[in-house]
């Protein structure tokens, strides 16, 4: 079974600085998808960024980018120019590309604090 | 915004009472999911649906049943609520070429006393 590990339960960053959140996963599949979701205090789950395993290029969405290392099974999220609104719980998630079960497997989350 | 609503948004109930949570979507997506979120566990899949009347179990399905009689509605029922089912429940839909990306509703907070 696939597992997703977020080794940093909590992180903090100064406003305008850069922070990197770590995620590792375990799978025997060669094709899959990886995601980062943000959950602010409102509890809404918001998709931040996604990465297809067959793409070597790292995904980028404005101030958010990933470092996808397929051989190492690592998928870290970099937030540049951190803003107060980035404070949230961040979840890494994995999904197989095929099969009949389309479930996401989530890590346990990293709580990000942004200090003014 | 993926056009997903959940009702109720908050509910307090007593042990042994049946409870039904509703997920409604407006964009005609084929796949729908129910997750629960508990401290220290992230989100875990309860049940999912791949079409009208087509459902399957997730990893934490015991004590839950689902129904999908219309594309837009996916219902989660706790037949006899227990305190261990106190949680936040999220509905999700899949979008994308291979329905690979999930988008979530606002969640329902359920407290079972």
């Amino acid at each position: 079974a696939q597992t997703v590990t977020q080794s940093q339960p909590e992180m903090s960053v100064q406003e305008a600085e850069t922070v990197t959140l770590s995620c590792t996963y375990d799978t025997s599949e060669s094709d899959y998808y990886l995601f980062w979701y943000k959950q602010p205090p409102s509890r809404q789950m918001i998709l931040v960024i996604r990465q297809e395993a067959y793409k070597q290029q790292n995904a980028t969405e404005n101030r958010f980018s990933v470092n996808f290392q397929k051989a190492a099974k690592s998928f870290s999220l970099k937030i540049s120019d951190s803003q107060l609104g980035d404070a949230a719980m961040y979840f890494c998630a994995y999904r197989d590309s095929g099969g009949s079960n389309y479930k996401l497997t989530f890590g346990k989350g990293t709580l990000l604090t942004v200090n003014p | 915004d993926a056009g997903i609503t959940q009702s109720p948004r908050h509910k307090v109930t007593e042990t042994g009472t049946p409870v039904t949570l509703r997920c409604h979507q407006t964009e005609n997506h084929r796949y729908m999911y129910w997750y629960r979120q508990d401290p220290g566990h992230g989100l875990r899949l309860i049940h999912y649906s791949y079409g009208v009347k087509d459902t399957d179990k997730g990893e934490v399905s015991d004590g839950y049943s689902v129904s999908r009689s219309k594309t837009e509605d996916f219902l989660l029922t706790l037949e006899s609520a227990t305190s261990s089912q106190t949680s936040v429940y999220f509905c999700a839909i899949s979008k994308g070429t291979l329905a690979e990306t999930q988008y979530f509703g606002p969640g329902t907070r359920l407290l079972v006393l």
Side-chain angles (χ1 to χ4, degrees), chain A residues 33 35 37 39 42-45 47 50 52 89 91 95 97 100-109, chain B residues 31 33 35 37 40-43 45 48 57 59 88 90 94 98-106 109:
Chain A
Y33 297 90
F35 306 88
Y37 286 89
Q39 188 178 41
S42 66
R43 289 193 172 270
Q44 176 74 52
M45 292 289 289
L47 177 68
R50 60 171 247 177
E52 294 93 336
M89 183 73 85
F91 292 96
R95 208 216 84 168
S97 66
S100 59
N101 185 344
Y102 293 94
K103 82 180 186 86
L104 287 175
T105 300
F106 285 86
K108 294 186 178 181
Chain B
Y31 295 95
Y33 310 81
Y35 290 86
Q37 183 179 27
H41 287 280
L43 277 78
L45 183 68
Y48 67 101
K57 296 179 179 180
E59 59 184 308
V88 180
F90 287 95
S94 286
L98 298 176
E100 71 281 355
T101 303
Q102 291 188 20
Y103 295 86
F104 289 81
R109 296 182 69 111

Side-chain angles (χ1 to χ4, degrees), chain A:
Chain A
Q2 290 82 8
T3 59
V4 177
T5 302
Q6 294 179 248
S7 59
Q8 307 151 316
E10 297 184 24
M11 293 278 287
S12 64
V13 63
Q14 291 296 125
E15 196 175 4
E17 297 293 308
T18 295
V19 65
T20 298
L21 308 184
S22 301
C23 173
T24 58
Y25 56 94
D26 184 28
T27 184
S28 57
E29 302 294 327
S30 60
D31 200 11
Y32 46 86
Y33 297 90
L34 295 163
F35 306 88
W36 279 99
Y37 286 89
K38 169 186 177 181
Q39 188 178 41
S42 66
R43 289 193 172 270
Q44 176 74 52
M45 292 289 289
I46 302 165
L47 177 68
V48 175
I49 200 165
R50 60 171 247 177
Q51 174 80 41
E52 294 93 336
Y54 64 87
K55 288 187 177 179
Q56 294 188 347
Q57 186 172 5
N58 289 325
T60 299
E61 289 287 344
N62 300 313
R63 297 182 295 107
F64 298 86
S65 61
V66 299
N67 183 6
F68 173 48
Q69 301 288 330
K70 190 172 184 179
K73 297 181 182 176
S74 172
F75 182 61
S76 61
L77 175 69
K78 186 172 82 170
I79 306 174
S80 303
D81 186 24
S82 297
Q83 301 176 359
L84 295 178
D86 295 333
M89 183 73 85
Y90 286 82
F91 292 96
C92 179
Y94 165 99
R95 208 216 84 168
D96 284 344
S97 66
S100 59
N101 185 344
Y102 293 94
K103 82 180 186 86
L104 287 175
T105 300
F106 285 86
K108 294 186 178 181
T110 295
L111 180 62
L112 179 66
T113 302
V114 181
N115 301 309

Side-chain angles (χ1 to χ4, degrees), chain B:
Chain B
D1 183 4
I4 307 168
T5 57
Q6 293 184 230
S7 59
R9 295 291 313 279
H10 300 87
K11 185 168 182 67
V12 180
T13 190
E14 294 187 348
T15 299
T17 304
V19 176
T20 295
L21 308 183
R22 179 181 183 237
C23 177
H24 179 78
Q25 56 138 331
T26 59
E27 298 180 354
N28 206 36
H29 296 291
R30 178 182 175 189
Y31 295 95
M32 299 183 76
Y33 310 81
W34 277 107
Y35 290 86
R36 62 178 288 174
Q37 183 179 27
D38 305 291
H41 287 280
L43 277 78
R44 293 179 292 174
L45 183 68
I46 304 172
H47 282 278
Y48 67 101
S49 171
Y50 47 96
V52 173
K53 293 185 168 53
D54 293 322
T55 65
D56 206 348
K57 296 179 179 180
E59 59 184 308
V60 290
S61 59
D62 287 349
Y64 301 95
S65 62
V66 290
S67 65
R68 193 170 180 199
S69 58
K70 299 185 289 185
T71 299
E72 59 265 35
D73 289 326
F74 191 31
L75 304 181
L76 176 71
T77 298
L78 292 66
E79 300 290 347
S80 178
T82 67
S83 58
S84 64
Q85 294 175 313
T86 292
S87 189
V88 180
Y89 291 86
F90 287 95
C91 176
I93 58 90
S94 286
K95 281 186 179 182
T97 307
L98 298 176
E100 71 281 355
T101 303
Q102 291 188 20
Y103 295 86
F104 289 81
T108 294
R109 296 182 69 111
L110 176 66
L111 175 61
V112 183
L113 300 174

